[in-house]
């Protein structure tokens, strides 16, 4: 039996036992999100389609799957979804500016030998492609953080329905501060886990620190990590404010 199939079965069994119905939904959500990414990748090869608009549409679909399909339609998922969309919109302006100034689009020198057999005249805007890659890399972390804040805020309001909006907002910020460090570190070490071979290659080629930092591949990945960290940081006060506003205004019962 294929190793991937065995690992998939083990993951499904563990998620079913530990997570119950939500665990099963989370397992299938992985495949739904994978299908969305594959479809978006296919359409991105069409020069007539704006990849940024396509990526924003994909971000909406992925957020709906991660929030509404797994956790249902309720005040927690609604506020997390709204916070995610606002954060992505704000982050898009920042990423567009950064992508144009940093010139990280296209391929690095380290990749040219492998790509020398292919044609580069494919009429695709690699600045927009680079922007789309960064957005897709941040959407998961932003959605996860938004849900991690809105859910405990809902519990706080349920057990203390007379709490003021300001107190609830400060509670949300306190929750956000606790998860901010772990979230950003997760993004940072995910890079080193995925690109450890590249770092070893840099060492074998005797790259200096300056050459590593100015390498297009390294810079692109670090910008992606920093953009994701910026998104995770931004979504904390946005989610805390939106959740506090809706919970206190509507006095929603569990």
């Amino acid at each position: 039996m294929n190793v991937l199939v065995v690992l998939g079965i083990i993951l499904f069994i563990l998620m079913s036992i530990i997570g119950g119905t939500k665990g099963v939904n989370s397992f299938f959500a992985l495949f739904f999100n994978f299908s969305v990414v594959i479809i978006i990748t296919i359409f991105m090869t069409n020069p007539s389609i704006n990849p940024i608009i396509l990526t924003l549409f994909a971000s909406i679909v992925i957020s709906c799957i991660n929030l509404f399909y797994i956790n249902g339609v309720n005040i927690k998922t609604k506020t997390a979804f709204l916070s995610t969309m606002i954060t992505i919109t704000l982050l898009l302006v920042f990423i567009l500016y950064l992508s144009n100034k940093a010139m990280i689009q296209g391929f690095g020198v380290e990749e040219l030998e492998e790509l020398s057999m292919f044609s580069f005249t494919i009429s695709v805007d690699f600045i927009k492609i680079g922007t789309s890659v960064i957005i897709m890399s941040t959407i998961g972390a932003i959605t996860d953080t938004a849900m991690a804040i809105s859910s405990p805020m809902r519990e706080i309001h349920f057990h203390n329905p007379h709490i003021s909006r300001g107190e609830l907002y400060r509670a949300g910020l306190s929750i956000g501060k606790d998860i901010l460090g772990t979230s950003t570190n997760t993004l940072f070490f995910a890079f080193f886990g995925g690109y450890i071979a590249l770092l070893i290659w840099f060492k074998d080629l005797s790259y200096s620190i300056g050459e590593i930092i100015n390498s297009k591949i390294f810079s692109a990945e670090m910008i992606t990590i920093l953009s994701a960290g910026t998104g995770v940081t931004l979504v904390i006060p946005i989610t805390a404010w939106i959740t506090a506003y809706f919970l206190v205004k509507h006095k929603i019962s569990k």
Side-chain angles (χ1 to χ4, degrees):
M1 187 179 292
N2 189 289
V3 175
L4 294 178
V5 176
V6 174
L7 290 175
I9 293 173
I10 294 174
L11 177 63
F12 176 75
I13 293 173
L14 290 176
M15 292 180 73
S16 301
I17 295 174
I18 297 174
T21 303
K22 285 190 176 181
V24 174
N25 290 340
S26 299
F27 179 82
F28 287 110
L30 292 174
F31 292 95
F32 293 151
N33 287 332
F34 179 74
S35 300
V36 172
V37 172
I38 291 297
I39 293 172
I40 294 304
T41 303
I42 293 173
F43 277 103
M44 275 188 181
T45 59
N46 188 341
S48 63
I49 297 177
N50 190 324
I52 295 178
I53 295 177
L54 199 61
T55 303
L56 290 176
F57 175 76
S59 298
I60 294 173
V61 175
I62 291 172
S63 297
C64 289
I65 294 173
N66 290 342
L67 294 173
F68 301 129
Y69 174 73
I70 297 176
N71 300 291
V73 181
N74 49 60
I75 186 62
K76 295 178 289 188
T77 53
K78 288 178 181 178
T79 54
F81 177 78
L82 180 58
S83 303
T84 299
M85 292 299 103
I86 293 175
T87 304
I88 285 293
T89 302
L90 295 174
L91 199 60
L92 176 61
V93 179
F94 173 72
I95 293 174
L96 280 171
Y97 174 81
L98 201 60
S99 298
N100 279 282
K101 293 295 183 181
M103 300 296 291
I104 58 172
Q105 71 278 2
F107 304 101
V109 176
E110 296 80 8
E111 301 168 298
L112 291 181
E113 183 177 350
E114 299 175 1
L115 298 170
S116 59
M117 67 185 73
F118 300 105
S119 172
F120 292 93
T121 57
I122 55 177
S123 302
V124 173
D125 190 337
F126 276 97
I127 293 180
K128 293 180 180 179
I129 294 292
T131 302
S132 299
V133 169
I134 296 176
I135 294 173
M136 290 294 289
S137 301
T138 61
I139 183 65
I142 292 173
T143 304
D144 180 65
T145 303
M147 190 62 191
I149 294 173
S150 65
S151 182
M153 285 182 67
R154 175 63 194 88
E155 291 300 317
I156 293 173
H157 182 265
F158 175 74
H159 292 289
N160 187 9
H162 300 294
I163 189 172
S164 68
R165 185 178 299 167
E167 291 174 328
L168 189 57
Y169 172 72
R170 286 189 290 273
L173 286 182
S174 179
I175 296 168
K177 291 175 183 178
D178 291 336
I179 65 176
L180 180 59
T182 55
S183 297
T184 51
N185 273 283
T186 299
L187 295 170
F188 182 73
F189 286 107
F191 161 74
F192 281 101
Y195 280 84
I196 189 68
L198 176 65
L199 298 176
I200 293 173
W201 189 19
F202 283 156
K203 178 182 179 298
D204 289 341
L205 294 176
S206 300
Y207 272 43
S208 65
I209 297 298
E211 288 174 326
I212 293 175
I213 293 175
N214 287 286
S215 169
K216 182 175 288 189
I217 298 177
F218 183 84
S219 297
E221 289 302 319
M222 288 306 297
I223 287 174
T224 300
I225 293 172
L226 294 174
S227 297
T230 301
V232 168
T233 305
L234 276 176
V235 79
I236 291 174
I238 293 175
T239 304
W241 189 89
I242 291 176
T243 304
Y245 175 81
F246 279 102
L247 288 176
V248 174
K249 180 179 180 180
H250 299 287
K251 297 291 184 182
I252 297 173
S253 59
K254 195 170 184 179

